[in-house]
Amino acid sequence: MSLAMQKWTCSWSLAATIASVILLASVVHLFLYPLTPAFDYFGVQRQIQTSCVTANETIRKGNQHGIEVLTAGLDLGHRFPADVHNAVVYHGAPWKAEIGRWLSGCDSAVERVIIVEKISGKPCKNDCNGCGVCNHELGQCQCFHGYSGDGCSERLQHVCNYPESPELPYGRWVVSICPAQCDTTRAMCFCGKGSKYPNRPVAEACGFKIKLPSEPGAPKLTEWGKPDMDIFTTNSSLAGWCNVDPEEAYAEKVHFKEECDCKYDGLMGQFCELHVQSSCINQCSGHGHCRGGFCQCHGGWYGADCSIPSVFSSIKEWPHWLLPAQVDVPGTAHFAETIVSISASVKKRRPLLYVYELPPQFNSLLLEGRHFKFECVNRLYDHRNATFWTEQLYGAQMALYESILASPYRTLNGEEADFFFVPVLDSCIITRADDAPHLSMQEHSGLRSSLTLEFYKKAYDHIVEQYAYWNRSAGKDHIWFFSWDEGACYAPKEIWNSMMLVHWGNTNSKHNHSTTAYWADNWDEISSDRRGNHPCFDPSKDLVLPAWKNPDLNSLRSKLWSRPRDQRKKLFYFNGNLGPAYSNGRPEATYSMGIRQKLAEEFGSSPDKEGRLGKQHQDDVVVTPLRSENYHEALASSLFCGVMPGDGWSGRMEDSILQGCIPVIIQDGIFLPYENVLNYESFAVRIREDEIPNLIKILRGFNETEIEFKLANVRKIWQRFLYRDSILLEAERQKSAYGHVDDWALELSQLVEDDVFATFIQVLHYKLHNDPWRRLLDRRRRNFGLPQECLAKTS
């Protein structure tokens, strides 16, 4: 039996009584018919409990079981000795010795323990009036774009245009600028009433006159003060848009304006004639509808991805990370005015993560309101609603968020949580900074870095006001993800105690200022009153994660990561922007902190603007700005591959590892993915910036034994640079919803080694028992499912 609360015309008292009866029936159903999810990436055994005991009794039994495990002594130093590089291998990866020893002896021995999950049922005002989702934990509405108020009953007016002037009748440029009909719920521009296709987008340059270039090769210019009324024409000889019939246009019977396209999510085809899925967090987990990026959850469910059941949901539909569950319904539930919560005992392995349900302006609204569908997401959907993966480097933030939300390590009980994840999507904040007037950066002097800092500060204010968890560790057990070019450099001072997940591990030991060449992201101008004086990265508490790389089918099928030494003919390879000395190069001398420019000056293999090659150019060394016809093949044909910054981090480390090439890192004082936990000497080479002239001499100095050793380790760790867990979650959704089993899903399903998410969890487990501040806590009442020798000694 199931219950899905939609809209009740009866009283809450009656609703609660009915829910209680059906909930009890669901419990009986669960125990008679155990449920097992289809996917189980982490090998969690699922055994249904058949006896009914209280939560305390269950926990005591768990402790008794734990005591039996504690009898075996551990001597990690002798059992897991370090190799000549001071590495200890765990799950195929060479870790720093002390970390590898603990993981080998302790992470491998962790047992499941009983966790009492809290299933909430606080109601929201008027059920949010159908314009939002009720957060049943707090009893607060999460309103859709363009709505506000306690019950989402207030309609907001998000205008598309800034105030007009005689020269600019539609105001100064902003991405949402609109000479047609503005949808003020999202500040998006459409053809509007009176046209044949009123819901066709008129995005940005589409609605304005285009000035042709004055010389060959120069770009077209948009005249933002001159609206192009021809887009409304019905004359087939003019370049129209809003009345253009797609079939006639495809048959070349009519003209259309080429600057018009389908930038908004949920639409496909040259003329936006196809309605497809939008990109939502976990695609709403099968319990909601994705409306442009915001999950509109079915009754009884809530959360950014509709994955959290309320007391009004059916137990048989609960997510796998809450099953099998022993549910405790309060004895007075039949007579209570409302059911506020129920308890569900579930066996879980630590570490446990609690994910804050932030107000949607920090995540869902940023997705729903984005004006360019490729921004900050790692996938879109084609005409069949099949997934196609994007090259969006910042997609890692969404991939990790989705994995955490669907993970068996997730808990709804903050009192049992070991870590707290705060899901602010800064990749959406920055890419959307110029989207519309309501996201104005006027108060931030045009600095996207300052705007982003403000978002994180507001998220901090919210969790301190609404929850009690921050103060128990001054935020040290909280996790924030900063995915943009310079990572957590512009984190507000209030949250710096926390663990930062970044792609840019600048310790500021050498480069102690903003390193981006893009002025809007520069953080040097942010006041210390807001930012403090912290570095960008602290290796004692933070972690660099790999950037997103899409699951390239050709690379996977060809197994480029496993290509042997004798097929790697190039000694060194780097392909990328080399700065102002080259055609189409970045004009700023500060780009890449000058590192790429120095490399090209010594070893450039393509002529610069003056026709010069590098001073030490050699036949088996490639340093070029020219785009390769097959970039992955070129990497896989090389022995060493360059890893250097761009505007902050670049994806070159990931490119190298995923194609089996030994990375050569040139960026002083700046950590790469996992560099503070993995033993980089086992698979990489670090060159100081002042050693660039000696680079090739250093690389030729490695003997074959050392080279084969590093190559072998690259082959063992390459999957740790791939977000396989998130990708396979999408594969399961596609199979369940549409029966799609694409080639990328088949290839990824055959991989079995630890990926990014598994590595992340292993690092958290180590930190849980080895971070020095944890020793100050009284943890005697918590069952960790570990031998005593693995636990942190309490001071």
Side-chain angles (χ1 to χ4, degrees):
M1 298 183 67
S2 64
L3 174 65
M5 288 282 288
Q6 299 293 339
K7 282 203 170 183
W8 290 90
T9 55
C10 53
S11 69
W12 271 105
S13 176
L14 178 58
T17 303
I18 295 173
S20 302
V21 174
I22 295 180
L23 183 60
L24 286 171
S26 298
V27 174
V28 174
H29 179 95
L30 175 66
F31 282 56
L32 291 175
Y33 305 100
L35 300 170
T36 304
F39 268 58
D40 185 6
Y41 300 123
F42 295 91
V44 177
Q45 298 178 8
R46 292 177 167 84
Q47 299 174 347
I48 196 72
Q49 296 184 27
T50 55
S51 61
C52 187
V53 295
T54 66
N56 288 336
E57 288 173 341
T58 306
I59 292 172
R60 285 199 295 273
K61 288 183 179 181
N63 284 335
Q64 290 167 2
H65 174 71
I67 291 172
E68 293 175 1
V69 175
L70 302 185
T71 57
L74 292 177
D75 187 349
L76 300 180
H78 284 87
R79 287 181 60 194
F80 307 105
D83 64 17
V84 294
H85 295 281
N86 200 30
V88 171
V89 174
Y90 178 63
H91 284 204
W95 297 77
K96 290 183 181 296
E98 67 277 11
I99 301 175
R101 287 194 185 101
W102 191 91
L103 293 174
S104 298
C106 301
D107 185 70
S108 60
V110 66
E111 298 282 340
R112 292 185 299 164
V113 298
I114 294 293
I115 301 299
V116 178
E117 300 285 5
K118 299 296 183 183
I119 310 301
S120 301
K122 292 182 180 178
C124 288
K125 183 178 180 180
N126 296 331
D127 199 23
C128 306
N129 289 294
C131 297
V133 175
C134 180
N135 179 334
H136 290 290
E137 181 182 11
L138 300 177
Q140 297 175 357
C141 286
Q142 311 277 55
C143 302
F144 302 143
H145 216 294
Y147 297 90
S148 184
D150 291 344
C152 301
S153 58
E154 299 175 22
R155 181 74 179 266
L156 301 177
Q157 293 294 313
H158 293 311
V159 298
C160 290
N161 301 328
Y162 282 111
E164 64 182 67
S165 68
E167 297 79 18
L168 298 170
Y170 296 96
R172 62 182 176 86
W173 173 84
V174 64
V175 173
S176 62
I177 191 169
C178 183
Q181 179 174 309
C182 178
D183 172 6
T184 56
T185 62
R186 295 182 295 165
M188 291 184 176
C189 190
F190 295 90
C191 289
K193 295 178 180 180
S195 61
K196 186 176 182 179
Y197 300 98
N199 296 320
R200 185 173 287 174
V202 180
E204 218 171 345
C206 176
F208 293 87
K209 296 282 187 181
I210 304 297
K211 187 176 182 179
L212 297 177
S214 57
E215 56 186 52
K220 296 179 180 179
L221 298 176
T222 304
E223 299 186 273
W224 301 109
K226 298 180 180 180
D228 184 1
M229 293 296 105
D230 283 350
I231 64 170
F232 299 103
T233 186
T234 56
N235 186 339
S236 61
S237 64
L238 297 177
W241 176 247
C242 291
N243 293 296
V244 172
D245 182 273
E247 291 187 9
E248 292 183 352
Y250 287 133
E252 299 183 351
K253 295 180 180 179
V254 296
H255 295 281
F256 65 92
K257 188 172 183 178
E258 295 180 355
E259 286 75 17
C260 297
D261 57 21
C262 280
K263 287 189 174 183
Y264 301 160
D265 200 3
L267 298 170
M268 286 286 290
Q270 177 69 52
F271 302 94
C272 314
E273 69 272 21
L274 300 175
H275 290 266
V276 299
Q277 275 197 92
S278 298
S279 296
C280 271
I281 301 164
N282 276 329
Q283 296 309 116
C284 310
S285 308
H287 297 296
H289 164 70
C290 180
R291 44 173 292 153
F294 196 125
C295 281
Q296 183 172 359
C297 302
H298 298 157
W301 295 84
Y302 67 103
D305 66 341
C306 302
S307 63
I308 307 178
S310 73
V311 298
F312 308 110
S313 65
S314 168
I315 295 178
K316 66 181 182 180
E317 295 180 353
W318 283 8
H320 71 88
W321 48 273
L322 287 175
L323 292 174
Q326 176 187 308
V327 179
D328 178 23
V329 181
T332 58
H334 294 288
F335 311 102
E337 286 297 314
T338 60
I339 303 175
V340 177
S341 67
I342 60 174
S343 297
S345 297
V346 188
K347 283 188 174 182
K348 291 178 174 287
R349 290 184 176 90
R350 294 187 185 275
L352 295 177
L353 288 87
Y354 178 91
V355 183
Y356 285 108
E357 278 302 316
L358 296 179
Q361 63 259 36
F362 299 106
N363 38 64
S364 297
L365 286 181
L366 291 168
L367 290 170
E368 185 185 8
R370 70 194 196 282
H371 282 64
F372 186 39
K373 56 190 168 187
F374 284 92
E375 288 172 344
C376 64
V377 297
N378 54 23
R379 65 178 180 273
L380 293 171
Y381 296 91
D382 66 13
H383 63 284
R384 300 181 302 121
N385 277 324
T387 313
F388 70 88
W389 299 100
T390 75
E391 299 286 350
Q392 173 62 260
L393 287 172
Y394 307 104
Q397 193 168 52
M398 190 163 173
L400 184 77
Y401 186 18
E402 291 180 323
S403 286
I404 293 174
L405 289 174
S407 165
Y409 295 96
R410 183 183 181 186
T411 181
L412 299 177
N413 186 348
E415 296 302 324
E416 284 285 359
D418 304 307
F419 294 93
F420 296 82
F421 184 71
V422 191
V424 180
L425 299 183
D426 75 316
S427 59
C428 286
I429 297 168
I430 289 187
T431 54
R432 289 203 54 207
D434 293 318
D435 265 7
H438 68 274
L439 290 172
S440 172
M441 291 192 294
Q442 189 170 354
E443 296 179 4
H444 302 278
S445 303
L447 291 176
R448 303 191 303 185
S449 53
S450 175
L451 174 70
T452 304
L453 182 150
E454 182 181 273
F455 264 80
Y456 281 89
K457 174 60 165 60
K458 287 180 178 178
Y460 159 79
D461 291 339
H462 173 79
I463 62 177
V464 169
E465 178 183 337
Q466 297 287 336
Y467 301 88
Y469 307 129
W470 180 272
N471 289 336
R472 75 182 196 182
S473 69
K476 293 184 179 72
D477 53 4
H478 283 54
I479 302 172
W480 308 72
F481 199 155
F482 284 78
S483 72
W484 204 247
D485 294 348
E486 290 197 89
C489 295
Y490 36 78
K493 62 183 181 182
E494 289 83 0
I495 71 172
W496 186 247
N497 275 345
S498 301
M499 180 183 185
M500 305 294 167
L501 303 178
V502 296
H503 301 314
W504 180 244
N506 188 2
T507 61
N508 300 85
S509 58
K510 178 177 180 179
H511 302 286
N512 58 356
H513 53 81
S514 184
T515 57
T516 181
Y518 184 56
W519 70 269
D521 291 346
N522 192 298
W523 49 268
D524 289 335
E525 302 302 318
I526 298 177
S527 167
S528 60
D529 291 340
R530 300 174 64 211
R531 180 189 174 274
N533 294 300
H534 61 74
C536 298
F537 180 77
D538 181 349
S540 69
K541 68 180 182 68
D542 303 332
L543 184 67
V544 181
L545 288 179
W548 167 261
K549 292 291 179 177
N550 71 4
D552 184 76
L553 190 57
N554 291 331
S555 295
L556 292 171
R557 283 176 171 169
S558 303
K559 294 181 170 56
L560 297 183
W561 52 270
S562 66
R563 184 167 290 178
R565 163 76 175 92
D566 59 3
Q567 294 181 29
R568 296 179 179 271
K569 303 300 184 182
K570 294 293 183 185
L571 176 70
F572 179 83
Y573 182 84
F574 182 80
N575 184 317
N577 199 303
L578 298 177
Y582 291 82
S583 297
N584 301 316
R586 285 287 295 268
E588 309 94 341
T590 55
Y591 175 70
S592 186
M593 300 178 288
I595 296 172
R596 295 189 186 190
Q597 295 89 317
K598 293 174 185 175
L599 181 75
E601 185 179 337
E602 295 291 337
F603 304 106
S605 56
S606 298
D608 62 13
K609 292 177 181 177
E610 305 297 326
R612 297 172 301 195
L613 297 174
K615 293 183 289 187
Q616 301 185 57
H617 71 274
Q618 301 176 32
D619 291 341
D620 59 351
V621 174
V622 176
V623 176
T624 178
L626 303 179
R627 183 178 291 274
S628 172
E629 293 183 3
N630 193 330
Y631 177 58
H632 291 160
E633 175 66 29
L635 290 166
S637 300
S638 304
L639 195 56
F640 297 98
C641 295
V643 176
M644 286 155 279
D647 269 323
W649 62 270
S650 71
R652 306 302 174 155
M653 183 70 181
E654 294 81 357
D655 291 338
S656 299
I657 294 288
L658 293 176
Q659 320 313 322
C661 188
I662 301 170
V664 178
I665 302 155
I666 312 176
Q667 47 185 57
D668 296 352
I670 301 170
F671 281 63
L672 272 294
Y674 313 130
E675 193 171 359
N676 53 335
V677 293
L678 294 185
N679 187 292
Y680 258 50
E681 188 180 338
S682 299
F683 60 86
V685 177
R686 256 200 179 272
I687 302 292
R688 295 196 314 271
E689 293 169 26
D690 62 9
E691 291 180 308
I692 288 176
N694 297 322
L695 169 63
I696 300 306
K697 181 179 179 180
I698 292 171
L699 297 183
R700 294 196 191 280
F702 286 102
N703 61 44
E704 286 301 314
T705 301
E706 292 171 310
I707 289 173
E708 290 288 3
F709 177 77
K710 290 181 184 294
L711 284 174
N713 277 310
V714 170
R715 296 183 197 113
K716 292 175 182 176
I717 67 169
W718 74 277
Q719 292 185 45
R720 293 181 184 271
F721 287 74
L722 192 64
Y723 286 85
R724 188 183 73 244
D725 181 77
S726 175
I727 295 169
L728 289 179
L729 287 172
E730 175 66 8
E732 178 67 8
R733 290 190 292 264
Q734 280 286 312
K735 182 178 180 181
S736 175
Y738 304 106
H740 295 159
V741 182
D742 290 312
D743 289 344
W744 56 263
L746 292 174
E747 290 292 334
L748 268 294
S749 66
Q750 297 175 26
L751 302 178
V752 297
E753 303 298 331
D754 293 341
D755 74 333
V756 171
F757 186 66
T759 308
F760 170 63
I761 292 296
Q762 289 160 5
V763 172
L764 292 188
H765 200 198
Y766 174 80
K767 288 173 66 64
L768 173 60
H769 297 288
N770 293 276
D771 275 349
W773 67 267
R774 297 263 182 188
R775 297 171 186 165
L776 303 176
L777 304 178
D778 183 0
R779 312 197 306 172
R780 290 171 294 180
R781 297 183 180 181
R782 181 166 291 186
N783 188 353
F784 292 98
L786 281 175
Q788 190 65 40
E789 291 85 347
C790 294
L791 303 180
K793 303 297 187 292
T794 302
S795 299

